[in-house]
Structures are given as C-alpha cells and as structure tokens.
Amino acid sequence: MQVWPGQAYPLGATYDGAGTNFAVFSEAAHRIELCLLHDDGSETAVELRETDAFVRHAYLPGVMPGQRYGFRVHGPYEPERGARCNSAKLLLDPYARAVAGQIQWGEAVYGYPFGRPDARNDLDSAPHTMTSVVVNPYFDWGDDRRPRTDYHRTVIYEAHVKGLTMLHPGLPKELRGTYAGLAHPEVIAHLTELGVTAIELMPVHQFVQDHRLADAGLANYWGYNTIGFFAPHNAYASWGDRGEQVLEFKQAVRALHQAGIEVILDVVYNHTAEGNHLGPTLSFRGLDNASYYRLADDQRYYMDTTGTGNSLLMRSPHVLQLIMDSLRYWVTEMHVDGFRFDLAATLARQFHEVDRLSSFFDLVQQDPVVSQVKLIAEPWDVGEGGYQVGNFPPLWTEWNGKYRDTVRDLWRGEPRTLAEFAGRLTGSSDLYQDDGRRPLASINFTTCHDGFTLHDLVSYNDKHNDANGEGNRDGESHNRSWNCGVEGETDRPEVLELRERQMRNFIATLMLSQGVPMLSHGDEFGRTQLGNNNGYCQDSELSWVHWPDPAENAEDDGEGADPQEGEALGSSLLEFTRAMVWLRRDHPVFRRRRFFHGRPVEGTHDELSDIAWFTPEGEEMTQRDWQAAHAKALTVFLNGHAISEPGPRGERISDDSFLLMFNASAETLEFAVPVNHGRQWHVVVDTARPAGVLTGAGPKVAAGDRVTLVGRSMAVLQRPA
C-alpha cells in the first residue's frame, strides 16, 4: 500500500476523487496507527508518521468512500495523571463524516477490567465497537436555497426523526423512522399545512445506546449522547450506514427547503457518550483525554456540569476548533439553517463559572458562517449558577423557561401570576431588552420533548415514569401541571371537556405571544405518553407520534393500539392549532420586532397606546389589580395602528386591532369591552367552543358590551383596521 505524507488539515478523512487524506490530533500519543478495516474482520494498520502541531497525517491513494477505519493510539495509560491511551481500543475519528455499526457492550470496549478501574484492559475492542467511514462529499444540491425565514415569521416544530415518522399511516414501512420518512411528501404536507416554517430535529449527530439502558431492554431514544459531531446518526438511515446516511440526510434537507421549511439541529457539544471514569473508551478519551475533557483535581475523575458524567474542556483550542469545524460543516456541507444548543450554559464555562463572554461565544460572534444562521440556546445546565435565561449574548435566542413556567402557572390557577404573565406575553423585556435584544430573542414554548406532552400537562399532577426502571425517581417532580380533577385517563365528559379547553388555551396563548413560538411534535394531535415526563429511554409507541387516521373505520395496520383518547380530539385540536398558527402569520401585531412602548407611538396618527391592560370590568389595570392574589383574569388591547417598526422597504406596517380576554379562574366571568378603544368588534377565537376558532365574521360586540367567558377559557376579539 502506498502511503504519502498528506496534509495536517482538514482533520478527519478527506476524499478527493483519487484517494483519502487522514489527519487526527493527539498531544498525548507517542504514535498512532490508522487501521483500515475489512469485511472479513481483518485490518490493515498504517502508522501516521508525519506530525504537524500534534496532528498526525497521511494520504492513501486508492482509499475510496465506504472504507471503514479507526485509530489505535500508543501512549501513556496513567489515569491518576489524566492519561488513558490504550492501543487495544479501536477509536472513532472525532471528525468522521459517517459511522458504521453499533456497540456490542462488554468489557472489551472499556479501558479497564471490570471491578479494577485503575488497571489497564488489553482486550481488543475492534470486533465490538463502531467504526468511522470515508465519505464521498459530492452531492447534487441542484437549486437548493436556504429559506432564511426571519425570526418574526418563524414557527418552530420540535420533532424526533423516528418518533415523528414511525407510525405515520401514509409512509411505506421501510421509510418509517428515517430521514427519508422525514422528507416524505405526506410529512412535509402536514408541516406546511400546519404553518410550520422550521423543524428543530432532536439529536441527529451519531449517538450511542448506553450500556445500562441496553442491559435493561431500553434505549437512548432522545439521542443526547453524542460520539460523532460530524456524522448523521446511522440508525435513521433507510438504506445503509457506509455513507448512505449522509446522502439521505442531505436529500431530506433539500426536500424540506423546497417546501420552505428550515432545518435546525439540536446539538450536544457539552459532553460526549464516553461518560465518567467508568465509561467506555470509544474516541476522545483514548486519543487525548486531558485535551478534550474537564478533569477534576484528582485527574482520574471528570468535572460534570451536564449530569452525564463528563464535560468537554471549553478552554481547549482543540475542543473549540472541533465544535466550530462541526458547526461550519453542517451549515456549508449539509445546508442546515441553525442550531439549538443543549445545556448551552456549559459551553460558557471556561473554568467553573458561567462566563457570558467566553471564548466560544467570541468565536461564534466573529465566524462568517456560523454567525449567520439561527442560534438557539438552552440557557441552563446542572452546574452551580447554571440557570442563565436572559444572559446570552445579543446574537443568540433562548428557550425561555420562564415563559413556560408562567403560562403553566396562569392556566392552572396559581395566584399572583398576572404581572409576570403580562411580561411573558409581550416578549419578556425584563430578560432581553437591557442588552439590545428584541422580543424575538424569546423562543416561547409550553411543552417540549423534556417533560409532559400537552395532553399530559392537563391530565396528570404527578409523573408516572415506572416504565423507565428507576422507581419513578427520574424526571422533573415539579411540573406545574394540573389534571383537571382526575389523575390520568378518564371517561368523565366534564373532565375531558375541560382538558380539551385547556389545551386550546395553551396553544392560543403560545401563538398570540410576542416572540418565536415552538410546538412539540404530536401536541397538535393531543399526543400522550401516559404521564411519563422523561421518555428519554422509551423508543416505543409510548413516545412515537400516533397520527389520526384520515380514513374512518380504517383497519389497524398492525402497529399496535393508539393510546390517544380518540381520533376526534386529535383532528379537532389539529384544526384549532392550524387556525391559530395562521392567525398569527396573518397579523403582524402578534409578531412584533420591537417591544411595546406602553404609550401612543409617534408618527402613527393614533392617539391610543400600542398596548393597554384592563380588568374584566373594562377598567385600566392599576398596581393593586396586578398584585391582587385572587386576580386571574384580564383583557389586553393590541393596537394594530401603533406598530413602531417599519416594513422591509421602510413602509409603515398597519394591522387590525385585537382584544385578548383571559379567564384563568374557575368561575364564569363577564368581560366588558373597553370603551374608547374601538366601537365594533367581532369574536374570532373562543376556546370554550370545541372548534375554538370561529369561521366568518363571528359574533359582533360593541364597546361597553359584555362577553361571557366560562372558567378557564379565553377569547380573541378583532377590530378591522
């Protein structure tokens, strides 16, 4: 075999049409072997003799796409000094563009013998571990164009590749649970009809099925256990894992873009699947443990601000390079449109503290590629001082956990909620205005993959996670949920009616709030996980989306029973969700790009304030009204004539005006339509009605009239411009 010197950059395996350049970083290694793996189980080892700045490299003519490979690192195995090199372990390339196979769990994939964590284990891991794959980078993107949807027009749909598609009755079975299923016309039609502009995919970087979960007959369903930051997860590919997963993912992105839908990836750059000091040796640990991970004072152990066993060393230039190279790769080569960063507070930890101006954020800010896509932070981790909602740099948007909590508190009837709810409804200026950000910095959500589904939020007071095998100890215990009087499933009509009304309340509130709304997949159907609020390990019908069958009395397709309360609920809730999304999209007053002023706006020729707050009696709210413990109802006036931001060509934006009436109390209340804010209105939304959104003009009401709202319901009144 010919071995040429090759180049130190780019890192990873780079195919150029005639051969492949291999380059890998390790400061700890004495020498590194590149191992080419053959289908008969044999391997060909090539020592990487050329070294530049601790990057070892070689070019191999004739090595083609589909070739499996790995590294064996010869160096010190001294856990007490943070060194864990072990040439018996075949290591994944940190820059692998594709990964083949799965791990066969056993002692061979660990660097130590079971029961003796400080000793060295020389069992060969090659027959039992995953392997890196050389990938052909060439792909015909055709006329692919990024949608580049502005934040104020964005509606995000959080989804799991497998969970969204596994039970779709319109998909061929061989495409269910795959990237190809995600790109199927039936799925794309649902998203476009719903009004979704961006799909936020739960982790699709190559991840590992945990040893503990595998032994328990469970799985790492969510995928927050990354081992390959450049590789699409191979189990979501419908037709192979020797690079086919890369082509299939690109085809899915291209199809979604053609429908005007952006693709945002949920990425996990805060830790890896290698876990704590008792975890397996799969890649980074064996290459250069101390360069990749934050080690404790006793270097046998890892600092852990993620709750997963390890944290990446964010002050290491090689870790920062890995992350930035990965982000740029997914934007430039895979054409994704943005990222949601899991436990993003960990990325800011250079030492122990959360530093808003850490090196990572500086790099993102100046990067000409990454700075131009959507950047969404999950602004917390499990470390000290890790709850950082509102503290990310101006370029970033954030999952607004305070929005979620406040909206849940309002609709379950918690006292003294109105004042904070007003702030969340109008874009959380207390969190974002002081650093120059706008309402669109707030990614608003009431449910997501982590926690109760929307159906379960109104059906359970307590978590029911026994199926996870942890004695119901896992998952959040304080969910701010309310079961509407009965825990779990019931056939009591009055309870079911209240639950359906509450779900409509949550969806309507989300779509009428300033900021960027995010729906969780299946909530538009009332998907249930039967009270399990931590479905991370449930790769089963419990977590998959059950789609309403469009054909009445359709025969069961053999995939099992639907745990939903009924397809009628799924269909009616879907229609309501669609109508609320489109109401938002049709009216710029619900998606303002600047915060409200709370006064008349100059140059708009309207003497009324851009927003006003009223008691149910139609009187302007006072400080006493805001602070009253029993107050659970209010009316909000949104002035469509007082939008301060201009249109794209500098033109004035004008819209209809709206009254939002919220009755979060248990009693039926009479709401007076405020005087001096419009003579004639018509009702367009009433969540007390099964349909929720009213077609046509709706009932007309005049200034001073009274509108009856049953307990725990809301109404929207519209006044034409």
Side-chain angles (χ1 to χ4, degrees):
M1 176 178 292
Q2 288 186 316
V3 180
W4 299 351
Q7 303 293 326
Y9 193 84
L11 291 165
T14 305
Y15 172 69
D16 64 4
T20 303
N21 189 82
F22 295 90
V24 62
F25 160 78
S26 175
E27 190 171 349
H30 296 158
R31 63 188 184 93
I32 297 178
E33 291 176 300
L34 165 68
C35 298
L36 303 180
L37 305 170
H38 310 299
D39 290 342
D40 63 2
S42 64
E43 63 182 62
T44 300
V46 176
E47 184 171 350
L48 302 180
R49 299 183 181 276
E50 297 293 325
T51 304
D52 291 297
F54 302 110
V55 174
R56 297 166 193 262
H57 52 89
Y59 180 91
L60 274 61
V63 170
M64 307 300 282
Q67 173 65 59
R68 294 183 301 126
Y69 70 98
F71 298 114
R72 295 189 185 273
V73 175
H74 300 261
Y77 186 84
E78 300 171 351
E80 69 281 1
R81 299 178 60 185
R84 293 182 178 270
C85 300
N86 186 338
S87 60
K89 309 306 163 186
L90 185 75
L91 304 178
L92 286 171
D93 181 356
Y95 279 72
R97 269 48 173 185
V99 172
Q102 298 294 333
I103 295 174
Q104 299 173 11
W105 288 109
E107 195 172 73
V109 297
Y110 291 82
Y112 62 92
F114 288 169
R116 293 187 293 149
D118 291 332
R120 175 180 164 127
N121 173 6
D122 288 325
L123 292 174
D124 184 10
S125 69
H128 310 283
T129 194
M130 302 183 291
T131 56
S132 308
V133 179
V134 176
V135 167
N136 187 341
Y138 304 107
F139 179 77
D140 183 7
W141 283 102
D143 60 354
D144 181 64
R145 295 290 184 272
R146 302 182 192 280
R148 297 189 183 278
T149 308
D150 292 331
Y151 269 119
H152 71 283
R153 297 183 180 276
T154 295
V155 176
I156 299 174
Y157 187 85
E158 186 197 31
H160 188 283
V161 171
K162 185 173 185 179
L164 180 65
T165 62
M166 196 63 188
L167 297 179
H168 195 298
L171 299 188
K173 289 191 176 183
E174 64 272 15
L175 298 186
R176 297 182 184 185
T178 70
Y179 302 120
L182 186 67
H184 192 277
E186 292 265 359
V187 175
I188 290 179
H190 171 73
L191 297 176
T192 54
E193 290 168 9
L194 187 58
V196 167
T197 69
I199 187 166
E200 183 179 299
L201 297 177
M202 291 175 65
V204 297
H205 287 176
Q206 183 69 47
F207 61 87
V208 170
Q209 297 295 339
D210 310 53
H211 193 170
R212 177 186 67 83
L213 293 176
D215 285 350
L218 300 170
N220 192 313
Y221 170 65
W222 285 353
Y224 293 93
N225 204 32
T226 306
I227 197 62
F229 294 107
F230 294 78
H233 187 60
N234 58 22
Y236 297 155
S238 63
W239 52 292
D241 66 358
R242 299 286 185 91
E244 294 90 346
Q245 62 265 56
V246 179
L247 294 176
E248 191 170 325
F249 182 86
K250 289 179 176 180
Q251 289 167 349
V253 172
R254 186 176 60 188
L256 288 161
H257 281 180
Q258 288 172 349
I261 298 173
E262 294 183 304
V263 178
I264 298 171
L265 301 189
D266 192 339
V267 290
V268 190
Y269 292 113
N270 50 72
H271 73 279
T272 79
E274 291 185 304
N276 63 17
H277 64 289
L278 299 178
T281 298
L282 306 175
S283 179
F284 308 92
R285 171 175 285 142
L287 280 165
D288 195 331
N289 188 52
S291 288
Y292 281 111
Y293 293 117
R294 295 182 67 194
L295 302 181
D297 292 338
D298 183 341
Q299 294 187 328
R300 293 176 297 172
Y301 306 112
Y302 297 82
M303 294 192 66
D304 178 16
T305 58
T306 64
T308 62
N310 66 57
S311 301
L312 283 172
L313 182 62
M314 295 305 298
R315 67 174 180 266
S316 164
H318 303 287
V319 170
L320 291 172
Q321 179 187 10
L322 172 79
I323 295 173
M324 296 306 298
D325 284 349
S326 170
L327 292 169
R328 279 190 294 269
Y329 173 78
W330 286 95
V331 174
T332 59
E333 297 297 322
M334 308 295 264
H335 285 208
V336 305
D337 304 281
F339 305 95
R340 179 264 189 189
F341 292 80
D342 177 66
L343 300 179
T346 294
L347 301 177
R349 292 181 184 272
Q350 289 185 290
F351 297 95
H352 298 277
E353 73 285 355
V354 175
D355 179 2
R356 180 175 167 181
L357 299 177
S358 74
S359 299
F360 173 70
F361 296 123
D362 292 343
L363 288 173
V364 169
Q365 181 79 29
Q366 60 80 42
D367 190 275
V369 173
V370 181
S371 65
Q372 299 305 303
V373 301
K374 288 183 167 68
L375 301 172
I376 304 170
E378 182 187 34
W380 51 78
D381 65 17
V382 300
E384 183 178 354
Y387 193 76
Q388 294 291 314
V389 174
N391 289 335
F392 276 69
L395 193 64
W396 291 67
T397 62
E398 301 175 13
W399 271 27
N400 191 343
K402 292 187 176 182
Y403 177 93
R404 171 200 60 204
D405 296 345
T406 303
V407 172
R408 289 186 178 192
D409 280 348
L410 176 83
W411 286 115
R412 71 188 179 115
E414 284 296 289
R416 291 190 173 88
T417 304
L418 281 187
E420 184 165 2
F421 172 70
R424 304 297 159 237
L425 182 74
T426 54
S428 297
S429 60
D430 59 321
L431 300 177
Y432 306 115
Q433 192 170 30
D434 61 348
D435 56 16
R437 286 189 283 176
R438 301 285 177 83
L440 301 167
S442 178
I443 306 297
N444 298 330
F445 66 105
T446 54
T447 59
C448 63
H449 69 274
D450 189 1
F452 282 144
T453 66
L454 180 61
H455 171 282
D456 293 356
L457 184 66
V458 301
S459 304
Y460 294 89
N461 285 349
D462 303 305
K463 63 185 180 182
H464 296 265
N465 298 354
D466 294 302
N468 296 355
E470 300 179 43
N472 206 35
R473 294 184 299 273
D474 63 301
E476 177 61 57
S477 296
H478 182 46
N479 294 282
R480 291 181 160 91
S481 61
W482 179 51
N483 64 18
C484 297
V486 176
E487 185 73 0
E489 304 307 304
T490 182
D491 56 3
R492 289 172 54 181
E494 70 279 10
V495 174
L496 295 176
E497 180 185 359
L498 177 56
R499 289 177 178 177
E500 292 169 20
R501 188 160 72 245
Q502 286 284 71
M503 284 190 277
R504 291 192 289 270
N505 289 335
F506 279 114
I507 290 171
T509 303
L510 178 65
M511 290 303 155
L512 300 177
S513 297
Q514 305 299 324
V516 180
M518 184 184 78
L519 290 164
S520 180
H521 70 327
D523 275 353
E524 70 271 31
F525 304 129
R527 179 176 77 89
T528 181
Q529 292 182 169
L530 302 179
N532 191 318
N533 75 349
N534 191 31
Y536 79 102
C537 59
Q538 296 295 330
D539 188 1
S540 66
E541 291 194 29
L542 183 69
S543 293
W544 302 338
V545 172
H546 289 251
W547 295 73
D549 196 326
E552 292 184 5
N553 303 317
E555 294 183 3
D556 182 26
D557 66 358
E559 295 291 349
D562 188 340
Q564 309 290 2
E565 288 178 345
E567 290 181 2
L569 166 61
S571 299
S572 63
L573 187 62
L574 173 60
E575 291 305 316
F576 177 76
T577 306
R578 283 174 177 163
M580 290 307 306
V581 172
W582 286 99
L583 179 67
R584 175 188 181 84
R585 293 188 69 176
D586 289 343
H587 293 284
V589 75
F590 297 127
R591 41 185 178 82
R592 293 182 50 144
R593 288 172 285 129
R594 295 178 182 171
F595 288 108
F596 289 99
H597 299 276
R599 62 178 186 274
V601 176
E602 275 187 54
T604 59
H605 308 292
D606 195 315
E607 297 179 356
L608 296 176
S609 173
D610 58 354
I611 189 169
W613 309 86
F614 300 92
T615 66
E617 290 75 29
E619 300 171 352
E620 291 209 34
M621 294 278 285
T622 66
Q623 190 65 29
R624 177 177 295 180
D625 294 324
W626 286 115
Q627 299 302 324
H630 63 278
K632 299 176 183 177
L634 82 163
T635 296
V636 188
F637 167 70
L638 301 180
N639 189 348
H641 291 288
I643 298 174
S644 58
E645 59 266 24
R649 293 180 175 86
E651 73 275 16
R652 178 174 173 247
I653 297 175
S654 185
D655 192 12
D656 296 346
S657 295
F658 290 85
L659 290 173
L660 314 182
M661 296 177 172
F662 296 90
N663 180 13
S665 70
E667 295 80 28
T668 297
L669 296 178
E670 297 285 327
F671 281 68
V673 177
V675 296
N676 302 323
H677 284 73
R679 294 181 180 179
Q680 197 75 34
W681 301 82
H682 59 267
V683 180
V684 294
V685 177
D686 181 356
T687 62
R689 300 176 182 234
V693 176
L694 308 179
T695 57
K700 293 183 178 180
V701 293
D705 286 354
R706 292 186 172 270
V707 178
T708 302
L709 266 69
V710 302
R712 296 192 172 89
S713 72
M714 63 176 291
V716 179
L717 281 61
Q718 182 176 2
R719 188 194 75 193

